[in-house]
Amino acid sequence: MFKALDSVDGTALGRWARACVDGLESRCDEINRLNVFPVPDSDTGTNLLVTMRAAAAEALTAADASVSEVAAALARGAVAGARGNSGVILSQVLRGIAEAADCGRLDAATARSALNEASVLAAEAISVPVEGTIVTVLRHGAAAASACPHDTPLSDVVRAAADAAAEALARTPSQLAALGLAGVVDAGGLGLVVILDALVGVVTGETPQRADLGVAVPRAPVVEVEVPTPDCVDQADDQDYEVMYLLADSDDVRVGALRSDLDALGDSVIIVGDGAGVYSVHVHCADPGAAVEAGLAAGRPHQVRISCFVLDQRRRHGPAPATTRGILAVVAGAGVADLFEEEGAEVLRYEQSVTPGQLLAAIRDVGHGEVLVLPNGALSAQELVAVSVAARNENHSVLMLPSSSTVQGLAALAVHDPSRVAADDAFTMSEAAANTRWGSLRIAPERALTLVGTCEPGDGLGLIGHEVVVIAPDASEAGRRLLDQVLGVGGEMVTLLLGVAAPDGLADMLIDHVDRHHPGVEVLVYPGGQDGDLLQLGVE
């Protein structure tokens, strides 16, 4: 029988982060469908999920660490990976936990402090707070936790917060006109309830079941809450772009000036920090260039993301016109195919090999006027040139990107921005691919001579690019030595794509090796499903 926790340690906090990811994954589509405010762009669930995944991935670097170290990693990852209004607010929930856990414990008292601090940080982050949003739901959850007597156990504190948040969520249609008219609860608020319920599950062993929270509520007259005009925008007619970037080398004074500048440029201005000198900046505006220039005056903007609401809505709500851009990725493996499709790419999947004719047919089937192709090493340069020439006509503009491996293709796709002109988008994606070192781990099928010696059947082979650089008696040893080589010249993140023949425990062993010998390097592991290679890796 599960015994409720009196306090949360680093391991339990890591479990909570993974439970949040699982919960948001299961309700992502549902949350997206509820998204009507501040713009009806149907991405709140996706933004929360992407942000929480970034936080959980960063927490892997603090595995087996103290609760304060894990909490700090969660906040750091969330601020760096925040997407959209809701993701930025979520980052402040995690930052509130990090600041409360700085004392080295997360018990009933510090949990109350964490939620209060999160509520304050979230409210301060928004230039024009609006009732009936995720901030409202968070405030009520924090208030319920604070109202608990001081001797209340942790399990009752977190349960009170989650229940109060759920009740506040149910009231959001009566607080915000856009929600009442649409007959829905606030999308970000639902995501927050999912996250608080996950904490209840970790602490008590039983996650609350609230299957009906996201259902549409009856449309009824709503209580109009008078709020300033900028944050009442329900359409993207005036503010066509969402601009987000991280800001370093700044301070509170310059961030305050930046907030004023962005308020003058647009709305939905949110600026938050991770507590360690990095700020996440978010704004909806008509002039994305001016929003970035304002950041240059305040510090060093990086990881700039610009989204166009009009293009996003067209992609979601019907066939794209012939002038839009599509991505076609050539991939081997079911898991890899899923990764590309989740990021919006169309996929040409193959088992052993793909022919130029198959690629040409796939390009012609893409319903876009501009097609960027990620060949991922499946065809030779000469074959790609021939296909590119044959595919171009009055209806298709085709650009072959220099992705020589699957991991390079994923890195390129991560920076794809359809709002750029095709040449600029292709250049940025190509640069991301080129900056990703890649390699693979295999088992030698026969005796052969390589640049580093002779291998025997069954030896583990580590390759960087197409060249064998490691020969070892087994795959595990080859994998460790391969990682040492690719990380020996630097790197902040390693992506591992596991093949169908990867032995059990290989990924865990390699993660442990990186943690021990390359501290600070993040490791992401995905089921690739490719044949041949035990794993493929990319280093950024």
Side-chain angles (χ1 to χ4, degrees), residues 77 133 136 143 157-158 172 244 246 255 376 460 481:
T133 64
T136 306
V157 169
V158 295
T172 57
M244 293 192 69
L246 298 182
V255 166
N376 300 334
R481 288 166 53 186

Side-chain angles (χ1 to χ4, degrees), residues 63-100:
D64 300 323
S66 67
V67 67
S68 59
E69 291 171 317
V70 174
L74 287 172
R76 187 168 59 247
V79 170
R83 290 272 291 270
N85 300 52
S86 54
V88 176
I89 296 302
L90 171 57
S91 74
Q92 295 309 280
V93 175
L94 299 178
R95 182 182 168 191
I97 292 174
E99 295 195 358

Side-chain angles (χ1 to χ4, degrees), residues 121-190:
L121 290 169
E124 291 178 344
I126 302 174
S127 292
V128 186
V130 177
E131 284 298 299
T133 64
I134 183 175
V135 178
T136 306
V137 176
L138 174 59
R139 186 178 70 245
H140 283 279
S146 294
C148 293
H150 289 294
D151 58 351
T152 304
L154 176 63
S155 57
D156 289 345
V157 169
V158 295
R159 192 180 287 112
D163 289 346
E167 293 169 4
L169 175 67
R171 295 192 295 269
T172 57
S174 67
Q175 296 173 310
L176 186 54
L179 302 178
L181 292 172
V184 298
V185 297
D186 180 66
L190 174 56

Side-chain angles (χ1 to χ4, degrees), residues 82 123 132 136 166 171 228 237 351 361 401 428 457 476 483 500 507 524-525 528:
T136 306
R171 295 192 295 269
D237 295 338
E351 297 300 332
L401 304 186
T428 303
S476 296
L483 284 170
V500 292
L524 301 179
V525 180

